[in-house]
């Protein structure tokens, strides 16, 4: 069976932190550009987009900090490491998305109820640039999140994509407002309101994923199957009695009961358990901890 692409925790955290830093710099530039363009171009959807970029900046800082904490080695106070900080960072980013969406929705409704001038046509060029930049960044970050199994990085990627969605909605709304003429001025405000709804949906999905990791939800079946195959493929292993896996940050902790020949000596059983542990870590490099319980193999006789 082909093992899943799960690099070791240290490499995952290092590359993820670099992505968070890049995202932070890009968000800072885009937030300023969108805010200035929105105010000068009379486009509230663009101002709302700038607010979303602002929360992206905070989100990238949270992810960066969470990954730095999660990358610390286990110690006496935290013998299983600091990996939970990664899931906590993902939950915080999701909450930031929900908060930003609520703020955008409230202000959009206020703008819809207040007559105002149509946005300037040149703001569309700004939005087109933002959409391209944010979608490219979102794809790279989401790919890294999937490759490393990182909830926080995935949340950061969806935060970037939420910004691209907001910009896309603003582009559509401003286009209607500019092309439609008098009476269509509120189109960009409605676009901002729709974008807020999309962000709420994405934020809800992300916070559910983060909470699932914090509650030790079982990992994807491919991880379970890969570990099972690695253990069963070790010479001397007769069967697997139990297998429990929990995810902490980007690392996995494995608790497995392996059955072997009952007449095996304690020394031989110890050597076999070491070979099983090596096989599991070879197939799943992200397995930071593997606890092997050796049990006597007692096949159940047929009735």
């Amino acid at each position: 069976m082909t093992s899943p692409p799960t690099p070791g925790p240290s490499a995952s955290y290092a590359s993820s932190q670099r992505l968070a830093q890049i995202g932070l710099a890009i968000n800072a530039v885009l937030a300023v550009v969108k805010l200035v363009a929105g105010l000068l171009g009379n486009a509230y959807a663009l101002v709302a987009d700038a607010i979303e970029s602002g929360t992206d900046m905070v989100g990238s800082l949270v992810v960066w900090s969470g990954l730095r904490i999660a990358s610390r080695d286990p110690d006496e106070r935290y013998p299983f490491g600091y990996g939970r900080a990664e899931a906590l960072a993902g939950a915080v980013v999701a909450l930031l998305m929900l908060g930003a969406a609520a703020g955008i929705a409230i202000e959009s409704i206020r703008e819809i109820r207040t007559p105002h001038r149509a946005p300037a046509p040149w703001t569309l060029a700004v939005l087109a640039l933002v959409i391209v930049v944010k979608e490219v960044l979102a794809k790279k970050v989401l790919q890294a999140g999937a490759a490393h199994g990182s909830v926080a990085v995935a949340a950061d990627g969806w935060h970037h994509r939420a910004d691209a969605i907001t910009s896309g909605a603003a582009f559509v709304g401003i286009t209607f407002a500019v092309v439609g003429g008098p009476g269509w001025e509120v189109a960009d405000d409605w676009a901002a309101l729709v974008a807020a709804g999309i962000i709420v949906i994405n934020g809800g999905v992300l916070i559910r994923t983060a909470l699932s990791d914090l509650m030790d939800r079982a990992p994807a079946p491919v991880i379970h199957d890969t570990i099972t195959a690695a253990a069963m493929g070790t010479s001397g292993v007769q069967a697997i009695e139990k297998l429990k896996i929990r995810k902490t940050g980007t690392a996995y902790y494995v608790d497995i009961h392996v059955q072997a020949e009952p007449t095996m000596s304690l020394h031989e059983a110890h050597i076999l358990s070491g070979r099983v542990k090596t096989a599991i870590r070879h197939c799943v490099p992200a397995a930071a901890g593997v606890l092997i319980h050796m049990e006597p193999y007692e096949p159940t006789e047929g009735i």
Side-chain angles (χ1 to χ4, degrees), residues 99-264:
I104 292 171
I106 292 171
E107 191 61 23
S108 297
I109 294 172
R110 189 187 71 80
E111 288 289 317
I112 290 171
R113 294 164 60 99
T114 305
H116 57 81
R117 292 181 294 118
W122 58 264
T123 56
L124 292 172
V126 176
L127 283 167
L129 176 63
V130 170
I131 292 169
V132 172
V133 172
K134 293 299 290 188
E135 182 57 26
V136 170
L137 182 60
K139 283 185 177 180
K140 288 186 177 298
V141 176
L142 286 171
Q143 287 173 355
H148 302 154
S150 171
V151 175
V153 175
D156 202 26
W158 275 110
H159 212 173
H160 292 310
R161 177 153 288 170
D163 202 3
I165 291 171
T166 307
S167 298
F171 188 92
V172 173
I174 291 175
T175 299
F176 274 104
V178 171
V179 175
W184 286 85
E185 294 86 357
V186 297
D188 84 307
D189 304 315
W190 279 105
L193 188 60
V194 171
I198 296 173
I199 294 171
V200 166
I201 294 173
N202 288 330
V205 172
L206 287 174
I207 198 168
R208 180 180 178 182
T209 302
L211 291 177
S212 294
D213 275 8
L214 289 171
M215 294 178 65
D216 287 339
R217 180 188 60 179
V222 65
I223 298 295
H224 186 282
D225 294 344
T226 300
I227 291 176
T228 299
M232 288 300 298
T234 304
S235 178
V237 173
Q238 302 280 353
I240 294 176
E241 183 179 350
K242 296 178 183 178
L243 173 58
K244 296 180 182 180
I245 311 166
R246 64 184 178 90
K247 186 170 180 284
T248 300
T250 58
Y252 295 97
Y253 285 86
V254 181
D255 188 341
I256 184 170
H257 291 234
V258 173
Q259 293 185 351
E261 177 60 42
T263 59
M264 184 178 291

Side-chain angles (χ1 to χ4, degrees), residues 40-51:
L40 295 178
N42 193 43
Y44 176 68
L46 201 47
V47 174
D49 214 6
I51 295 173

Side-chain angles (χ1 to χ4, degrees), residues 8-14 16-17 61-75 78-90 148-153 214 247-253 288:
S10 297
S12 298
Y13 288 133
S16 297
Q17 287 182 57
L61 279 172
V62 171
V63 170
W64 184 14
S65 299
L67 291 172
R68 287 183 62 189
I69 296 172
S71 64
R72 294 177 183 174
D73 293 328
D75 53 32
Y78 296 92
F80 289 99
Y82 293 78
R84 296 286 191 209
E86 193 264 349
L88 284 172
H148 302 154
S150 171
V151 175
V153 175
L214 289 171
K247 186 170 180 284
T248 300
T250 58
Y252 295 97
Y253 285 86

